[in-house]
Amino acid sequence: MKAALILMILAGIAAAQDAQSIVARAVAADDHSDRLARDYTYKVRDEISDLDSAGNVKATHTTLDEVLYIGGEQYFRPLEKDGKPIPPAQAAKEQAKLDRAAAKASRLSDGERDKRLADAERDRTKRREDYKDIPNAFDFKLIGDATVSGRATYEISARPRAGYHGKGRNIFSSLEGTLWIDKQDFNWVKFEADVLKPFSIGWFLARVAAGTHISYEMMRVNNELWVPKTVSLKASARLALLKRVNIRQTVTFSDYRKFQSDSRIVATGDAP
């Protein structure tokens, strides 16, 4: 009996370690994809719906922007608001801004370009510091195998780890959920999470309350990287810590295209 109990304990420890190592590989793979994503332009559609107490939509507002990296710097170009193209005068102004940025980048010396790219990489690394703590911030359990968006994945549950005191503790300790990690590339394919206590998150306008559900899906592009596909949130939230609202917010990423920037923006291949 004692031997069987020891074997069960050891098996449980091994499974937890396997799940943690899978997540650690996914964090590293996601960082690699994030670095490659700077060579892509893409579109971001942000849809926010105000809901009544019964969950019915009262009003919906949308924006559509294009995201580009020019000379190592990120630019947002507004395209639409509430389903309508931005006014021609504003569109011309935004295009002129991009043209100036591309022209400026084309005049950089090799040393200036290298410095700008190094600065951008340093900022990117700093922005993603908290991600490295994910394997240590949760207790993971390998649930089994699953197929998500046609990909074979590991299905792993995640609960906040007691005693974790890293930089990301305010967010990580507020979430529990399930991860799906691609078996071939070891990238995130999807995660679903429930909010245990209020916190703020960069994509969303509001400070989200306990009980909020967050969904995040990724997709593979050009056989070289994984990128965000959809991030959604449905919650009772508090804006500016004062006004409580019921909202549903969905951020959709699309039209990923690899590009170059010199004196003009040149598409170099459409991503499926």
Side-chain angles (χ1 to χ4, degrees):
M1 292 294 292
K2 288 183 179 180
L5 178 60
I6 292 172
L7 287 174
M8 289 176 63
I9 292 172
L10 291 176
I13 293 173
Q17 289 175 338
D18 285 346
Q20 186 178 24
S21 67
I22 291 170
V23 172
R25 289 187 65 176
V27 170
D30 183 68
D31 188 73
H32 177 69
S33 286
D34 185 74
R35 184 177 291 108
L36 293 178
R38 292 180 302 178
D39 293 332
Y40 282 77
T41 177
Y42 55 93
K43 293 177 182 177
V44 181
R45 184 179 187 272
D46 191 0
E47 177 179 297
I48 301 176
S49 297
D50 297 327
L51 311 177
D52 61 22
S53 58
N56 299 312
V57 177
K58 296 189 298 182
T60 298
H61 301 284
T62 64
T63 58
L64 180 65
D65 299 282
E66 186 174 27
V67 181
L68 310 96
Y69 289 87
I70 302 175
E73 296 182 352
Q74 188 181 63
Y75 290 84
F76 287 82
R77 175 164 60 180
L79 300 175
E80 296 179 3
K81 184 174 182 180
D82 293 332
K84 298 179 180 179
I86 62 173
Q90 183 182 355
K93 183 178 179 181
E94 296 295 338
Q95 183 61 53
K97 184 189 300 183
L98 290 178
D99 290 341
R100 289 194 299 269
K104 182 178 178 180
S106 71
R107 294 192 297 266
L108 294 174
S109 67
D110 290 343
E112 290 171 332
R113 184 176 293 105
D114 290 344
K115 182 181 183 304
R116 180 181 284 194
L117 292 176
D119 290 343
E121 175 61 18
R122 183 172 59 253
D123 291 342
R124 190 197 71 83
T125 300
K126 183 177 180 180
R127 172 174 55 84
R128 294 181 59 85
E129 279 181 353
D130 292 347
Y131 286 76
K132 296 179 181 179
D133 262 5
I134 289 176
N136 301 316
F138 296 90
D139 290 320
F140 297 103
K141 180 179 180 181
L142 184 59
I143 299 173
D145 302 328
T147 301
V148 179
S149 300
R151 306 284 298 190
T153 69
Y154 297 104
E155 184 175 354
I156 298 173
S157 66
R159 293 178 177 272
R161 176 172 297 174
Y164 168 73
H165 298 294
K167 291 181 179 180
R169 62 186 177 277
N170 290 336
I171 292 180
F172 296 150
S173 65
S174 302
L175 297 170
E176 72 173 12
T178 305
L179 316 171
W180 288 267
I181 296 174
D182 189 81
K183 285 189 172 184
Q184 178 179 332
D185 295 344
F186 283 89
N187 274 91
W188 315 107
V189 177
K190 180 181 178 182
F191 77 71
E192 301 278 346
D194 293 310
V195 176
L196 305 176
K197 58 184 181 181
F199 74 100
S200 298
I201 187 170
W203 282 302
F204 301 104
L205 298 178
R207 181 173 173 82
V208 296
T212 296
H213 186 76
I214 298 173
S215 177
Y216 185 108
E217 294 185 48
M218 305 281 285
M219 60 182 175
R220 197 164 185 251
V221 168
N222 278 358
N223 293 321
E224 69 168 345
L225 78 164
W226 286 76
V227 294
K229 179 181 179 182
T230 307
V231 185
S232 61
L233 170 152
K234 186 175 182 180
S236 173
R238 192 176 294 275
L239 289 172
L241 303 181
L242 297 174
K243 181 181 178 182
R244 179 170 291 279
V245 295
N246 295 317
I247 63 171
R248 181 176 65 223
Q249 184 171 1
T250 302
V251 183
T252 305
F253 304 80
S254 64
D255 295 342
Y256 284 92
R257 293 177 299 154
K258 207 166 188 178
F259 76 100
Q260 297 171 341
S261 64
D262 40 40
S263 59
R264 64 191 189 284
I265 299 169
V266 183
T268 61
D270 290 339

